[in-house]
Amino acid sequence: MIWDPRHECISREQLRELQFRRLKETLKLVYNRVPYYKEQFDRCGVLPEDLSCLEDIRKFPFTAKLALRDNYPYGLFAAPMKDVVRLHASSGTTGKPIVVGYTKNDLKNWSELIARIVTMAGVTDEDVAQITFGYGLFTGAFGLHYGLERAGVTIVPSSVGNTEKQIMLMKDFGATVLVGTPSYALHLAEAAAKMGIGPGDLKLRVGLFGAEAWSESMRCELEKAWGIKATDNYGLSEVMGPGVSGECTEALGMHVNEDHFLVEVIDPETGHPKGPGEPGELVITTLTKEAFPVIRYRTRDITTLNYDPCICGRTLARMRKVTGRTDDMLIISGVNVFPSQIESVLVEIDGISPHYQIIVTKKGYLDMLEVRVEPTEKAFTGNFKDLEALEVKIKSRLQSVLSIGARVRLAEPFSIERSQGKAKRVIDNRPKSS
Ligand code: DLL
C-alpha cells in the first residue's frame, strides 16, 4: 500500500515544479525572519529572487552544525515562539545540545511523512507497534509515535530499557512491529532467546529500525532472530528527525520524501555536486518547515542517490544506506556523541590531566562507552575516597551532558599514551558496520 500516492508517485517534472515553489518560499522565509540567513545570503551576494531554477540552490551557502551551536537556543527559529508547540534536541559538539522547534503544521507534516514510511515498510492499521526508542528530547520516539498513530497503528510506548519487561509486553500485547535502533533490537533478541522465547512465540513481522548505521549482515541476523522483515529509515533532528527517508519492502534504498526535502550529494572536501550513484555527503534543504527551516544543511552522512523509479511504483529518489560520516561523531546505542562533548566535561573538572581516551566496544549487541582519564598527581591524596569521589563526579557530569552512561576509568599518572602527532583519543573497537 502507498500512503500518499499523489506525492510518492508524482512525476519527476511535477515534483521539480513543487520543489521549486516551496524552495522559493523557504528562502524568502529565512531571509526575512532569520538574521543568520540574511547575513549569510548578503555575504554571498544572493537573494531569494535569484533562484530561477532548482539548480540555483547551489548559489546559496551551506549551513553547518556550527551555525546551530552559535545561535543556541532559538536563534535560527523562523516562527515566533507562540507558534512553536514542541522542542526536541540532539547532541551538539560541546556541552550544549542543539535545539529544534516545530509549529503545529510542522508536527502535522512530520506525522504524515512517518505514516508514509511505516506504510512503505508494510505496516497497517491492523498492526501493534512497540516503540523502544527513548521518549524525551530525542526525536525518534515521538516522531515514530505520532506517525504510527496517524497510520492507525496501535502503539505500545514501552520506551528504552527494561529488557525483560519489553519481551513480556511484546508477547502479551501481541506486538507485530518492533521500532528502535537495530543494535537494541539485536540485544532484545538475545535476551528473548535466553528467556526461551523465539520468533514462534511472538507475532512480530516487521522491524522499523534507524538512528544508527547498520549493515546487511545485521539485517539478516535481525530477520532470522525475530522472524521479521527488517527495514531501515533515516533522519536527523536538524531537519526534522526520522521521516526523511525510509525503505519500502523491496529494500532497494530509502525513499526520500523529496516534496519536503531537497537533497544534494556533494564532495565533502570541495563542496562540488556529485552525480547520481556517486558517494558523497548528503546535504538537505527543508521545503515546508516553518519553525526550524534549514538551508543546505551539511548532514556529514555519506550516501549515494538513485533517481530511477522503484519497482514499488514510487518515484521519489532513493538514498543508499549511510556508510559513514565525514566528522568524528560516534553513535553509541543510537545516541550521538561528539568526542568534543566529552572533552568539554573533562576540562572543567579539577584534578585530572588533559590526557584522556574514549574507548567504544560492544558487549553482546550493546555499545559500551568507557572514558579513561588520568588524575593529576595532586589528586592522589593517599585517600581512596577522594579518587572515588572524582570518578563519581566525572561519571555524573558525563551522564548529564551525553545522556548516556559511561564507564569512567581512572588511570595511573602518565599511563595514557602520549602521542607524537595527533592524539588518538578515540578507540572504536566495534566491528565495522559495512
Ligand atoms: O537519529 C533521527 C532518527 C530517529 C532516525 C529514529 C531514524 C529513526 P539524530 O539523533 O539527530 O536523529 O541523529 C542523526 O543519526 O545524521 C546519521 O548519522 C544517524 N542516522 C540516523 N538514521 C540513520 C540510519 C535521529 N537509518 C544522525 N542509518 C544522522 C545510518 C543513521 N545512520
Side-chain angles (χ1 to χ4, degrees), residues 36-37 40 43 61-71 76 93 98 238 281 283-284 292 294-300 327:
Y36 169 81
Y37 284 112
Q40 294 299 312
R43 196 175 51 79
F62 292 118
T63 304
K65 201 168 187 122
L66 203 64
L68 276 60
R69 186 195 75 183
D70 294 346
N71 291 283
L76 295 183
T93 47
I98 56 128
E238 294 91 319
E281 180 182 343
V283 170
I284 304 180
F292 194 82
V294 282
I295 306 299
R296 304 196 85 196
Y297 185 71
R298 294 194 58 163
T299 65
R300 300 285 175 193
D327 63 6

Side-chain angles (χ1 to χ4, degrees), residues 244-364:
V244 173
S245 62
E247 279 178 344
C248 64
T249 46
E250 303 295 337
L252 294 170
M254 294 182 277
H255 289 282
V256 179
N257 283 316
E258 284 183 284
D259 48 335
H260 292 260
F261 305 105
L262 183 68
V263 285
E264 304 169 72
V265 168
I266 61 158
D267 178 323
E269 300 294 325
T270 63
H272 293 323
K274 291 279 200 171
E278 288 178 355
E281 180 182 343
L282 183 69
V283 170
I284 304 180
T285 301
T286 60
L287 298 175
T288 53
K289 287 275 294 289
E290 294 176 342
F292 194 82
V294 282
I295 306 299
R296 304 196 85 196
Y297 185 71
R298 294 194 58 163
T299 65
R300 300 285 175 193
D301 291 317
I302 304 287
T303 186
T304 60
L305 290 173
N306 173 358
Y307 291 91
D308 299 336
C310 181
I311 317 172
C312 71
R314 291 177 182 83
T315 51
L316 299 175
R318 282 167 285 160
M319 60 181 268
R320 259 189 55 190
K321 265 182 169 304
V322 172
T323 53
R325 289 190 52 92
T326 64
D327 63 6
D328 56 358
M329 186 178 93
L330 299 159
I331 304 188
I332 300 175
S333 296
V335 178
N336 303 348
V337 173
F338 287 94
S340 53
Q341 283 178 290
I342 295 179
E343 183 163 315
S344 77
V345 168
L346 299 181
V347 295
E348 300 218 330
I349 296 177
D350 280 339
I352 49 178
S353 77
H355 303 285
Y356 65 92
Q357 243 170 7
I358 298 164
I359 299 158
V360 194
T361 47
K362 266 218 181 293
K363 189 168 171 209

